[in-house]
Amino acid sequence: MNPTNWKKFAISSLAVMTLMSGASTAFAKDHGDRHGNDSGQHDDKDKGGKNDDKNKNEVTININFSDEEDMKWATEYIVRLASKGVFTGYEDGSFKPAQKISRIETIVAAVRLMGLREQAESAAEMSTDLNFKDADQLKKKYPWAVGYVAVALENDLFSETEDSIQPEKPATRLWSATILVKALKLDAEAKAKVNTKLSFKDAKQIPAGSVGYVAVALDKGIVTGYNDNTFRPNQQVTRAELAALLDRTDSQLPDHDAQAITGSLKAAAANGAITVVKADKTEVALTLDPNVFIFRDNKKATVADLKAGDEVLVRTYQNKVIFIEVTKLAAQPTVTVESGTLNSYSLNAQGKIATISIMKVVNGATQATIFNVDANVAITGDFAKLVAGNPVDLTVENNVVKLIVIK
């Protein structure tokens, strides 16, 4: 059973994008066994920092998952995070949405969501001598993760009493919600809500010291309860569920999309490019990547589906658009058919009809109405009959004539 209010929709075939980044391949490659092992164990040869120099800065983002049918309800979350390089799938082409996720994977994702990936993968953080009891085991098995744990510790993602990392321990709903509230720097708010009375039937399973974190996570929309009014704090989190939690947390982070371009489309896409009109009215012309991924009206869309006036969030890489999310659909055009007899029309410098006036009955009285005419107006019927007094029908879209039917 999925938590209530989790958005559900299906998306057809997905694109594959390979992006270059200043970071190593730790999360994109290292969190999926290259041999397709579902156990969650990883090939140490693929750990970040141990790749050939020519591949060191390459991050592969795969959203053409072979198990797409299993991740339908979470596709929106997964793709959005993949476009930011926060969360991705396995090298065998799958995402394994139902697989339980480990603590170390959750920590890495949270640190990346906070925009601290570069710091976590710096030489200084990677060489940190951690004080956890299992630090040596972490360094031996997950050397690429040392910097992430160090940054997580520096940013209070661990509690003061935790003495072990337990990297392979499955992340639970309570643990995940707590670490994400910490990532939002809301510890003070969580502590202020420590005496909140939670209404879940299993509220007594939530430790008293964690109640405030659950309350904040609920208030911020990071996590919800289930339809049977349970929270299930000790239930292990799947990869799909973590994607949803991360995406909701992302929307709460300050400047979470500072690197994105937002605005409205000046026109429909043409010649592999779009123009975005930003809030300050400046215009940005952008080239579309051949594999650009587009969300419109809660489903995957094509370039042809984009409309002038769509409000969009755009992410680019190497000066090409790789991800577009239509955050608000363009207003639907107002289309009417106006019938009457031709009064007159005017031509522009190119000899095309610029305006047209018809006589029509309005409230029992006959009056002339003038319309502007689209430069590419379609005309049906005998043009020779486009004379005063002859009946015509005008198809008008947003006060501009798109079609003239001569009767």
Side-chain angles (χ1 to χ4, degrees):
M1 182 186 303
N2 292 326
T4 59
N5 300 324
W6 279 13
K7 190 179 296 181
K8 298 182 179 181
F9 60 86
I11 291 180
S12 58
S13 60
L14 305 177
V16 177
M17 294 178 288
T18 300
L19 310 180
M20 303 299 294
S21 165
S24 68
T25 59
F27 204 62
K29 291 185 177 180
D30 305 331
H31 287 258
D33 190 317
R34 65 184 303 170
H35 303 296
N37 186 347
D38 288 337
S39 68
Q41 302 303 312
H42 315 296
D43 188 340
D44 289 336
K45 294 180 181 179
D46 287 334
K47 295 297 176 272
K50 294 197 176 185
N51 301 292
D52 294 337
D53 290 340
K54 64 180 180 180
N55 295 323
K56 187 175 181 180
N57 295 326
E58 183 174 333
V59 175
T60 300
I61 297 178
N62 175 29
I63 46 180
N64 183 22
F65 301 111
S66 58
D67 51 355
E68 174 188 334
E69 290 299 314
D70 298 330
M71 51 173 267
K72 288 180 179 178
W73 71 267
T75 303
E76 176 188 12
Y77 308 116
I78 294 166
V79 172
R80 188 180 291 115
L81 290 168
S83 73
K84 300 181 75 171
V86 173
F87 202 67
T88 188
Y90 287 77
E91 286 193 341
D92 65 0
S94 67
F95 186 80
K96 297 181 174 62
Q99 181 169 294
K100 306 305 181 185
I101 197 160
S102 68
R103 286 195 177 196
I104 194 62
E105 289 174 308
T106 304
I107 290 169
V108 169
V111 169
R112 287 188 174 182
L113 197 69
M114 296 169 73
L116 301 175
R117 176 173 182 166
E118 184 176 353
Q119 179 185 344
E121 295 182 355
S122 68
E125 297 291 356
M126 292 281 284
S127 61
T128 301
D129 187 10
L130 299 169
N131 291 316
F132 292 104
K133 289 181 178 178
D134 51 358
D136 288 342
Q137 294 94 312
L138 178 79
K139 189 173 182 179
K140 182 179 180 180
K141 192 163 188 179
Y142 304 105
W144 52 268
V146 171
Y148 282 98
V149 173
V151 170
L153 188 61
E154 293 160 13
N155 284 273
D156 301 318
L157 300 192
F158 289 93
S159 70
E160 295 86 346
T161 58
E162 289 185 85
D163 58 7
S164 299
I165 304 163
Q166 303 180 78
E168 294 178 351
K169 184 176 181 179
T172 64
R173 279 170 53 82
L174 176 60
W175 187 86
S176 299
T178 299
I179 199 171
L180 293 178
V181 169
K182 288 175 177 289
L184 291 174
K185 306 294 185 181
L186 296 176
D187 287 86
E189 186 174 334
K191 291 176 181 177
K193 293 176 178 282
V194 71
N195 291 315
T196 298
K197 297 299 181 183
L198 300 174
S199 61
F200 298 113
K201 291 191 296 186
D202 54 355
K204 291 188 180 300
Q205 295 180 24
I206 302 172
S210 299
V211 168
Y213 287 95
V214 174
V216 172
L218 292 168
D219 289 346
K220 300 298 180 181
I222 296 172
V223 68
T224 63
Y226 286 83
N227 287 328
D228 62 357
N229 193 33
T230 60
F231 184 76
R232 306 179 194 177
N234 300 315
Q235 180 171 292
Q236 296 175 12
V237 176
T238 65
R239 288 169 55 80
E241 290 168 342
L242 182 67
L245 297 176
L246 288 168
D247 188 66
R248 295 169 188 159
T249 304
D250 187 30
S251 66
Q252 299 289 332
L253 289 168
D255 300 324
H256 73 105
D257 269 320
Q259 302 302 314
I261 298 169
T262 58
S264 61
L265 293 181
K266 184 177 182 180
N271 300 317
I274 58 172
T275 298
V276 176
V277 181
K278 301 171 73 174
D280 61 3
K281 304 304 179 183
T282 59
E283 297 182 4
V284 183
L286 301 165
T287 300
L288 300 175
D289 186 275
N291 293 318
V292 60
F293 198 98
I294 302 170
F295 271 122
R296 190 178 192 275
D297 200 18
N298 286 339
K299 58 182 178 291
K300 186 190 177 188
T302 66
V303 173
D305 294 321
L306 296 173
K307 306 295 182 186
D310 277 348
E311 293 185 17
V312 295
L313 179 148
V314 177
R315 295 200 183 100
T316 64
Y317 180 73
Q318 291 186 337
N319 298 318
K320 287 188 177 182
V321 176
I322 60 169
F323 179 83
I324 300 174
E325 180 177 2
V326 177
T327 55
K328 184 177 180 181
L329 299 178
Q332 294 297 312
T334 301
V335 180
T336 61
V337 176
E338 305 290 343
S339 299
T341 59
L342 181 67
N343 182 36
S344 64
Y345 62 85
S346 65
L347 303 178
N348 58 23
Q350 289 73 41
K352 295 183 177 181
I353 299 176
T355 64
I356 189 169
S357 171
I358 64 172
M359 302 300 293
K360 56 183 296 187
V361 177
V362 179
N363 297 326
T366 301
Q367 64 182 42
T369 305
I370 301 175
F371 299 93
N372 290 319
V373 178
D374 188 274
N376 298 311
V377 64
I379 301 176
T380 63
D382 186 354
F383 190 79
K385 293 183 178 180
L386 191 62
V387 295
N390 202 63
V392 294
D393 288 337
L394 308 178
T395 299
V396 183
E397 182 178 310
N398 293 338
N399 298 316
V400 176
V401 176
K402 299 288 186 177
L403 172 65
I404 300 174
V405 178
I406 304 170
K407 295 184 174 181

